[in-house]
Amino acid sequence: MSDEETPRPLLRVVRGEPDDVELAALTSVIAAAASRGGGDANGTSKRRSLWGEPAAQLRTPIQPGPGAWRASSLPR
């Protein structure tokens, strides 16, 4: 391979001498941040739907009072 065909490295250590474990941790953090997606080209992120949120399936405490039985089954 010539110098023109050599791919650029994704990460470059500028200072220090990290071991393999530290490089693996850094790589996993950067990969996780990149897979999450930081938004679109305008810098705004898309709002995530709460339809499948596991916490939405947990029941909230019923507040006593007039109409509490009716409100107990309504979504919040």
Side-chain angles (χ1 to χ4, degrees):
M1 291 181 94
S2 68
D3 289 337
E4 295 176 4
E5 296 175 359
T6 305
R8 288 181 31 182
L10 295 175
L11 298 174
R12 184 177 65 161
V13 177
V14 179
R15 190 180 311 164
E17 295 180 17
D19 60 356
D20 291 340
V21 175
E22 292 172 334
L23 285 176
L26 176 64
T27 304
S28 64
V29 167
I30 291 174
S35 68
R36 186 175 0 161
D40 58 7
N42 297 335
T44 59
S45 61
K46 294 181 182 177
R47 190 165 189 173
R48 190 174 66 137
S49 172
L50 297 177
W51 180 257
E53 187 70 29
Q57 297 180 13
L58 298 175
R59 186 173 172 164
T60 58
I62 299 173
Q63 300 295 326
W69 64 272
R70 184 176 299 133
S72 67
S73 65
L74 297 176
R76 297 194 185 248

